[in-house]
Amino acid sequence: MKVKVRYFASLRDKIGRSDEQVSFDGASATVSDLWTKVSNIPASDSILVAVNMEYTNMNHKLKDGDEVAFFPPVTGG
Amino acid sequence: MTDASLKAVSTPSIPDEPRTTAKTELAREQLIRYSRQLRLPDVTAADQQRLLNTRVALIGLGGLGSPTALYLASSGIGHLTLCDGDNVELSNLHRQLLHSMADLGRNKCDSAQDRLRSINPVLSITKVPEYLAGPVLDTTIASCDLVVDASDNFPTRFAVNASCARHLKPLLSGSVIRMEGQASMFRHDLLHAPCYRCLYSPDEDNLFGSCDGEGILAPVAGIIGTIMATETLKFVLTGQSSLDGQLLQVDARQLNMKLSLLRNDPSCPTCAARRTSP
Ligand SMILES: [Zn+2]
């Protein structure tokens, strides 16, 4: 299974790349599995994630061909 | 208009009525003032009157609240409730364009009122010069048609969201830091719309920086703030916003914008409370 991953804004700076393809051996993986694979930042609800342009959470099950976007929380004003 | 005349009408938390001249004179002045937006097919005279009759509560008069307030006031949102407990500091001035050197040390509501009245003198402005909480928060939210959250901290955002849920008020929420920002419209007036608490969980604040700590490029606050003003006007004019149930993420470093569809979180306690509110 292959997914396309994009990192947005300051997460892109922290992770050091803007997008990549990630492959999994098994047939099933969650967003949390993906996050652990691509980042050293602890999996946390504070990272926002959208799959195929729909906001979701770390427990979301991924499918082959999904586009996953991670973005940082923002609270300043 | 002198300083003294402004002070005379600026009792905190009590709305002061617009100063009316002869009615025909006011109408004529307004036709000229708003002529460039009345030329739009989207804004009829009745629409302009609707803008003038609308009350928006604006929470936070900083980097986001400044452009939002300036455009809402200039476009003729007739009733503004301005909320901020902060006083103006020198480090605010690079991005908080409501305030100027002469305002240093003043409460931001006072400073904002002067600036907005200098553009549009007939606005009705209510000032809440404090950090919103408790009964004052609820009174403020209950009295308006739409809430714009431009605050700078997590606890206020959750409290505002919960109060909007109690009073079924639409909440336009924006935030900004570094060179990035977000904006969403949470339709608490609709039964199954997602809310701020569906998006963010209050237990996780370790990654949440502030503009003081993390820095901010001033015009990025302008980008988000003007989007918030645009969506507020669209909402009043048409009953909906392009950000209804959407999260807009703006990355100014790469001039990238991304919309994600938000879903109601079935386990969201705020939405659960909203569904049972009278
Ligand atoms: Zn919710």
Side-chain angles (χ1 to χ4, degrees):
Chain A
M1 176 174 75
K2 251 191 197 165
V3 295
K4 177 163 191 189
V5 191
R6 293 182 65 198
Y7 308 100
F8 223 71
S10 52
L11 263 192
R12 183 189 55 244
D13 305 334
K14 276 192 184 133
I15 289 186
R17 45 196 189 274
S18 60
D19 55 83
E20 62 188 324
Q21 295 273 349
V22 177
S23 304
F24 290 92
D25 293 336
S28 82
T30 63
V31 171
S32 176
D33 298 332
L34 171 65
W35 182 249
T36 313
K37 206 171 157 104
V38 297
S39 151
N40 298 323
I41 304 167
S44 148
D45 287 346
S46 300
I47 304 294
L48 306 182
V49 60
V51 176
N52 303 328
M53 299 183 68
E54 215 173 287
Y55 180 78
T56 184
N57 60 45
M58 286 285 174
N59 302 321
H60 183 100
K61 285 203 167 58
L62 296 170
K63 306 185 307 294
D64 190 45
D66 277 348
E67 183 177 302
V68 185
F70 290 108
F71 28 86
V74 183
T75 191
Chain B
M1 190 182 313
T2 66
D3 244 17
S5 75
L6 280 169
K7 285 204 178 75
V9 296
S10 62
T11 313
S13 301
I14 297 170
D16 50 286
E17 292 309 313
R19 276 150 283 177
T20 48
T21 53
K23 202 169 184 184
T24 48
E25 191 61 26
L26 187 70
R28 187 164 166 269
E29 193 267 351
Q30 295 199 347
L31 283 177
I32 298 168
R33 173 181 293 274
Y34 303 118
S35 59
R36 295 308 183 268
Q37 74 190 24
L38 286 166
R39 282 187 191 177
L40 293 168
D42 313 81
V43 187
T44 64
D47 291 327
Q48 185 64 55
Q49 193 56 54
R50 181 150 5 105
L51 294 174
L52 290 164
N53 292 343
T54 297
R55 175 173 294 278
V56 172
L58 177 57
I59 299 163
L61 301 169
L64 285 178
S66 287
T68 309
L70 287 164
Y71 279 109
L72 294 184
S74 69
S75 307
I77 292 286
H79 304 266
L80 289 171
T81 304
L82 305 176
C83 314
D84 202 318
D86 279 342
N87 293 336
V88 179
E89 296 175 22
L90 186 57
S91 64
N92 299 150
L93 298 187
H94 102 292
R95 67 192 182 286
Q96 303 185 12
L97 303 184
L98 276 172
H99 318 295
S100 49
M101 286 300 286
D103 300 314
L104 293 177
R106 297 178 77 198
N107 174 265
K108 288 183 181 176
C109 297
D110 293 332
S111 167
Q113 174 175 266
D114 287 359
R115 177 78 179 102
L116 298 176
R117 282 262 170 77
S118 75
I119 297 168
N120 200 342
V122 300
L123 294 174
S124 144
I125 292 177
T126 303
K127 294 183 289 182
V128 186
E130 55 189 275
Y131 303 110
L132 280 186
V136 178
L137 169 63
D138 274 314
T139 316
T140 302
I141 301 293
S143 67
C144 69
D145 302 303
L146 169 77
V147 179
V148 176
D149 189 350
S151 65
D152 62 357
N153 68 87
F154 220 20
T156 299
R157 289 179 184 279
F158 281 111
V160 168
N161 181 60
S163 181
C164 288
R166 283 193 290 278
H167 300 287
L168 309 180
K169 299 294 182 182
L171 168 61
L172 181 58
S173 177
S175 56
V176 70
I177 199 166
R178 298 174 291 256
M179 293 177 69
E180 64 209 55
Q182 295 177 351
S184 289
M185 174 71 103
F186 302 111
R187 294 290 304 272
H188 285 289
D189 54 318
L190 304 177
L191 196 57
H192 295 291
C195 82
Y196 188 76
R197 178 68 179 76
C198 296
L199 176 61
Y200 282 117
S201 155
D203 341 311
E204 308 278 341
D205 58 355
N206 51 321
L207 286 178
F208 289 77
S210 66
C211 293
D212 291 346
E214 300 262 328
I216 176 166
L217 194 71
V220 181
I223 293 172
I224 302 294
T226 49
I227 288 173
M228 292 166 79
T230 306
E231 294 306 315
T232 299
L233 295 173
K234 282 162 62 182
F235 181 79
V236 177
L237 292 171
T238 69
Q240 50 190 352
S241 148
S242 304
L243 293 178
D244 284 359
Q246 302 270 348
L247 172 66
L248 174 71
Q249 168 87 36
V250 176
D251 178 357
R253 195 183 291 280
Q254 297 202 332
L255 195 52
N256 222 330
M257 293 198 189
K258 186 176 170 62
L259 273 177
S260 306
L261 184 67
L262 295 172
R263 290 262 184 229
N264 186 257
D265 176 354
S267 66
C268 171
T270 307
C271 284
R274 179 181 66 207
R275 282 193 287 271
T276 57
S277 83

